[in-house]
């Protein structure tokens, strides 16, 4: 009950403690804990997890789960989803046998709703009574949210992914109900190892650790939500990997390696992949860097014999540099005119 109501029912103090997994309410007689929000979809189930401790005299005698309850004229008005008085159980006709009490009358007030429907969405609260001691809190109630269709799994990637550096990726769904269990499976174009699945705090999460290569760049990583009972794919989501890597497969292209003296030829430095893109090139001849040559092409104009040799290039991005294999250029030239002198 709200604070004035607690006063009417001899409840003296109220302390609200916000927790990661839910809400705890502590009074002189009661401590009750339940989630703030639960998510499910049409046809699945919802486990309204609820724990309590009673510090008063006697034991719990009555328990009632309400939907969209209001306190009017000194009593709670709303849909009585489930009620229990001793050994007698009753559920509202709109829920019928879809409702099962999974707790006890000692410390557990958990309620299971199977085959949930969109109109089951609403604010839920549990009313506990032990003799004259009573408890109910409406701020906040447990919020049950039922969607028409299953959500897509949420894939969480690191902010930056670099080749040869191990990463951890998670896939999660805000759902965990033992009556309609689910599994999360990884797929796509990336070679992956076995993942670890964790179920707690009304969340199902799969954690995958692997070391991406440059070849994983621009490939799809998919997480699928499957029904455990029949392995049916319920939904899925995909993310494209952005793997930063140095230039790969750098090589030199040229129309012909053997040229005539006086001819001109252009050497082209290319690469198969680079993320981010290459921003600088360097050219070398016979292990000596060619000065002022930082473009992807190198021009040999009016070739002379001295231009012959082994050429290679280096492509650089912010991740690193990669060298090409050497390419030998041959320069053919006509014999020089020889002078013949007379012997004395």
């Amino acid at each position: 009950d709200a604070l004035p109501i607690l006063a009417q029912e001899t409840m003296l103090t109220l302390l609200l403690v916000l927790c990661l997994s839910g809400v705890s309410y502590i009074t002189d007689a009661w401590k009750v804990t339940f989630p703030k929000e639960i998510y499910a979809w049409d046809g699945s189930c919802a486990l309204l997890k609820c724990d309590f401790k009673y510090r008063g005299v006697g034991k719990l005698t009555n328990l009632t789960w309400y939907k969209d309850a209001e306190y009017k004229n000194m009593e709670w008005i709303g849909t009585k989803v489930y009620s229990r008085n001793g050994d007698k159980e009753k559920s509202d006709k709109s829920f019928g046998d879809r409702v099962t009490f999974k707790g006890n009358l000692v410390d557990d007030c958990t309620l299971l709703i199977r085959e949930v429907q969109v109109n089951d969405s609403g604010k839920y609260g549990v009313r506990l009574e032990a003799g004259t001691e009573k408890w109910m809190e409406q701020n906040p109630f447990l919020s049950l949210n039922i969607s028409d269709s299953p959500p897509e799994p949420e894939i969480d990637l690191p902010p930056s992914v670099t080749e040869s550096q191990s990463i951890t990726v998670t896939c999660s769904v805000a759902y965990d109900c033992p009556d309609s269990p689910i599994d999360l499976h990884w797929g796509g174009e990336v070679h992956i190892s076995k993942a670890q699945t964790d179920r707690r705090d009304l969340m199902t999460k799969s954690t995958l650790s692997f070391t991406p290569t440059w070849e994983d760049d621009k490939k799809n990583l998919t997480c699928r939500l499957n029904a455990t009972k029949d392995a049916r794919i319920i939904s899925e989501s995909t993310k494209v990997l952005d793997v930063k890597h140095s230039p790969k497969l750098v090589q030199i292209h040229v129309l012909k390696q053997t040229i005539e003296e006086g001819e001109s030829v252009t050497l082209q430095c290319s690469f198969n992949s680079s993320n981010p893109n290459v921003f600088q090139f360097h050219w070398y001849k016979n292990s000596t860097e060619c000065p002022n040559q930082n473009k992807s092409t190198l021009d040999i104009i009016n070739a002379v014999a001295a231009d012959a040799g082994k050429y290679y290039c280096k492509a650089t991005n912010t991740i690193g540099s990669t060298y090409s294999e050497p390419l030998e250029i041959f320069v053919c030239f006509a014999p020089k005119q020889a002078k013949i002198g007379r012997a004395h």
Side-chain angles (χ1 to χ4, degrees):
D1 299 353
L3 193 55
I5 302 165
L6 293 177
Q8 297 166 8
E9 300 181 342
T10 69
M11 306 283 182
L12 300 179
T13 60
L14 175 65
L15 172 62
L16 170 63
V17 181
L18 294 177
C19 305
L20 178 63
S21 60
V23 182
S24 290
Y25 294 98
I26 304 174
T27 73
D28 285 349
W30 303 93
K31 178 182 178 181
V32 183
T33 304
F34 55 82
K36 292 182 290 185
E37 292 185 312
I38 293 179
Y39 295 90
W41 54 89
D42 190 73
S44 65
C45 67
L47 187 67
L48 280 55
K49 184 66 177 175
C50 174
D51 300 310
F52 73 91
K53 288 184 180 180
Y54 176 58
R55 301 182 180 89
V57 179
K59 61 180 182 179
L60 188 70
T61 54
N62 297 310
L63 178 149
T64 304
W65 272 97
Y66 282 92
K67 175 178 179 283
D68 299 328
E70 294 182 280
Y71 193 76
K72 292 182 178 179
N73 301 322
M74 304 293 292
E75 63 177 338
W76 285 99
I77 305 297
T79 301
K80 291 185 178 181
V81 179
Y82 171 88
S83 61
R84 179 165 180 170
N85 186 345
D87 294 331
K88 296 180 180 180
E89 297 180 279
K90 186 178 180 180
S91 58
D92 185 81
K93 62 180 181 180
S94 63
F95 289 87
D97 59 4
R98 295 191 295 124
V99 174
T100 301
F101 183 62
K102 305 296 285 185
N104 51 54
L105 298 180
V106 179
D107 57 7
D108 193 337
C109 43
T110 299
L111 187 72
L112 172 67
I113 306 176
R114 293 181 299 275
E115 298 178 9
V116 293
Q117 305 164 5
V118 174
N119 57 13
D120 291 337
S121 298
K123 305 297 182 181
Y124 287 71
V126 61
R127 174 73 157 172
L128 303 175
E129 300 181 28
T132 59
E133 294 285 354
K134 302 176 183 180
W135 184 93
M136 180 85 169
E137 173 59 49
Q138 81 268 29
N139 187 24
F141 282 123
L142 184 158
S143 178
L144 179 60
N145 306 279
I146 310 299
S147 58
D148 288 313
S149 57
E152 293 182 355
E154 182 177 338
I155 299 176
D156 186 20
L157 287 167
S160 178
V161 179
T162 304
E163 63 172 336
S164 303
Q165 294 184 10
S166 179
I167 63 171
T168 298
V169 186
T170 62
C171 174
S172 60
V173 176
Y175 174 86
D176 181 26
C177 186
D179 202 65
S180 297
I182 61 168
D183 294 309
L184 294 172
H185 295 283
W186 294 93
E189 304 167 286
V190 180
H191 179 71
I192 55 178
S193 56
K194 187 176 180 180
Q196 180 178 350
T197 300
D198 183 37
R199 295 176 175 87
R200 58 180 167 180
D201 299 333
L202 300 173
M203 178 78 68
T204 302
K205 179 185 290 188
S206 178
T207 302
L208 173 69
S209 295
F210 72 104
T211 301
T213 69
W214 70 270
E215 293 173 309
D216 293 323
D217 188 36
K218 304 298 185 295
K219 286 188 176 180
N220 291 333
L221 181 64
T222 300
C223 180
R224 297 184 177 93
L225 171 61
N226 295 72
T228 303
K229 294 180 180 179
D230 56 10
R232 173 174 47 92
I233 298 177
I234 301 175
S235 67
E236 65 179 29
S237 60
T238 298
K239 284 200 172 182
V240 179
L241 291 178
D242 180 23
V243 182
K244 305 299 183 185
H245 58 273
S246 59
K248 302 301 177 183
L249 304 180
V250 177
Q251 54 188 324
I252 298 174
H253 297 278
V254 66
L255 288 178
K256 54 183 180 179
Q257 290 181 248
T258 302
I259 58 176
E260 301 290 337
E261 186 177 30
E263 276 191 291
S264 298
V265 70
T266 297
L267 281 63
Q268 174 75 47
C269 185
S270 68
F271 53 91
N272 176 271
S273 178
S274 178
N275 185 4
N277 203 9
V278 171
F279 68 86
Q280 192 173 55
F281 294 87
H282 291 274
W283 287 92
Y284 301 84
K285 177 192 170 191
N286 298 331
S287 301
T288 301
E289 184 173 358
C290 303
N292 302 319
Q293 298 294 331
N294 53 14
K295 296 182 179 181
S296 62
T297 57
L298 176 67
D299 295 320
I300 300 176
I301 300 174
N302 297 324
V304 296
D307 290 324
K310 293 182 177 180
Y311 290 81
Y312 60 96
C313 66
K314 178 177 73 172
T316 301
N317 68 9
T318 56
I319 303 301
S321 300
T322 305
Y323 291 86
S324 71
E325 291 293 325
L327 178 76
E328 189 163 8
I329 296 295
F330 301 92
V331 179
C332 298
F333 50 91
K336 301 298 181 181
Q337 185 176 2
K339 291 184 179 180
I340 302 175
R342 295 176 63 183
H344 295 281

